[in-house]
């Protein structure tokens, strides 16, 4: 029983790490630009498929580095061409735009690479269990957890120690004042959007090795990512990280006792958090909607 519980908790932690990466990217974009990016899952799929294309040429490790960067560049282009035109308008416009873009990206990947699942090879030594007793502790799973931890730490370091990060944080609080101080908020929004999409692309590269490569790979992760933001609290990146990990572990544990409620439990958690603490676990005052 204890081994089965540990198995489900660890699986939940890994899935929660995907939720956290996705949710952090969503939160970055939402906090600064006010854009509810429903196309985030589509960018995740693009990152995974780009890695699949690059692997024969530059290998697994090269694709892991290059594919998220290429995904971020695509995101930067999308922001410049499409999303930038909607700043200052009702947020419903950007929501509808990204909602439609999500379907375009999903159908585009389906058209280019097909609707069927594709093999996503990872180094054989990473798939080997570390012990016979804990068969679920493979090198790849531990590597994913470690890499997500490093990337999240690097993100918070960027936001707290670099000029770009401090401008993003300041813009989140008062973008108009940042503009008056001479910062080009168009460039700031563009780079921030690219950073958020980079996290989605990285999540896609990692998720494909565990969940399989298919056009709908991002669809199953996008709604839990929004739930993570709400549970953790709007405007709080640490809260978003905590929310992603909590709903992932909760889903994993629920699988052991009530398999049919695996997806429902995260929405139950969201409802309970909103009832007890409307702004989320670590949300800021004034951000209850």
């Amino acid at each position: 029983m204890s081994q089965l519980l540990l198995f489900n908790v660890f699986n939940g932690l890994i899935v929660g790490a995907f939720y956290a990466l996705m949710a952090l990217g969503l939160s970055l974009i939402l906090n600064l630009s006010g854009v509810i990016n429903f196309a985030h899952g589509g960018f995740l799929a693009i990152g995974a498929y780009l890695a699949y294309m690059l692997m024969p040429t530059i290998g697994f490790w090269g694709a892991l580095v290059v594919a998220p960067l290429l995904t971020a560049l695509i995101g930067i282009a999308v922001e410049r061409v499409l999303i930038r035109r909607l700043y200052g308008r009702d947020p419903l416009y950007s929501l509808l735009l990204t909602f439609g873009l999500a379907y375009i990206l999903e159908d585009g990947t389906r058209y280019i690479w097909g609707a069927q699942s594709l093999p996503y090879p990872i180094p054989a030594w990473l798939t080997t269990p570390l012990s016979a007793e804990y068969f679920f502790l493979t090198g790849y799973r531990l590597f994913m957890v470690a890499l997500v931890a490093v990337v999240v730490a690097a993100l918070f370091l960027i936001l707290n120690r670099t000029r770009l990060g401090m401008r993003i944080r300041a813009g989140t609080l008062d973008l108009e004042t940042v503009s008056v101080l001479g910062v080009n908020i168009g460039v700031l929004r563009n780079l921030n959007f690219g950073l958020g999409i980079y996290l989605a692309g990285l999540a896609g590269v990692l998720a494909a090795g565990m969940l399989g490569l298919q056009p709908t790979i991002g669809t199953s992760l996008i709604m839990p990512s929004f739930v993570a933001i709400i549970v953790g609290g709007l405007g709080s990146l640490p809260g978003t990280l905590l929310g992603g990990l909590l709903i992932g572990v909760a889903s994993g544990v629920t699988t052991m006792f009530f398999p049919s409620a695996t997806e429902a439990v995260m929405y139950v958690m969201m409802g309970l958090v909103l009832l007890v603490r409307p702004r989320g676990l670590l949300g800021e005052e004034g951000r209850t909607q």
Side-chain angles (χ1 to χ4, degrees), residues 101-260:
L101 183 61
Y103 282 101
I104 292 173
L105 293 177
E106 182 177 324
D107 285 346
T109 54
R110 185 179 289 111
Y111 176 79
I112 296 172
W113 290 284
Q116 70 282 1
S117 297
L118 295 176
Y120 190 86
I122 59 177
W125 62 273
L126 282 178
T127 62
T128 305
L130 301 184
S131 70
E133 183 179 3
Y134 300 106
F135 61 92
F136 51 88
L137 291 176
T138 63
Y140 186 68
R141 295 184 173 203
L142 292 177
F143 166 73
M144 283 191 297
V145 173
L147 181 59
V148 169
V150 170
V151 170
V152 170
L155 173 64
F156 283 98
L157 187 64
I158 290 171
L159 292 175
N160 288 284
R161 298 296 180 87
T162 67
R163 180 173 297 182
L164 172 63
M166 288 186 284
R167 287 177 175 177
I168 289 174
R169 290 168 55 215
T172 298
L173 297 174
D174 192 339
L175 191 60
E176 185 175 340
T177 299
V178 172
S179 176
V180 170
L181 292 175
V183 176
N184 188 326
I185 60 171
V187 173
L188 186 65
R189 279 170 162 165
N190 190 243
L191 294 177
N192 179 72
F193 193 90
L195 182 59
I197 298 303
Y198 171 85
L199 296 177
L202 179 62
V205 176
L206 295 175
M210 180 177 172
L211 305 178
L213 184 57
Q214 52 191 339
T216 58
I217 185 174
T219 305
S220 61
L221 297 175
I222 185 67
M223 288 310 298
S225 302
F226 280 115
V227 172
I229 294 175
I230 296 171
V231 170
L234 291 176
S236 173
L237 292 181
T240 297
L241 175 62
L242 176 63
L245 295 177
L246 282 179
I247 65 173
V249 172
S251 297
V253 173
T254 304
T255 302
M256 180 178 174
F257 300 102
F258 304 103
S260 60

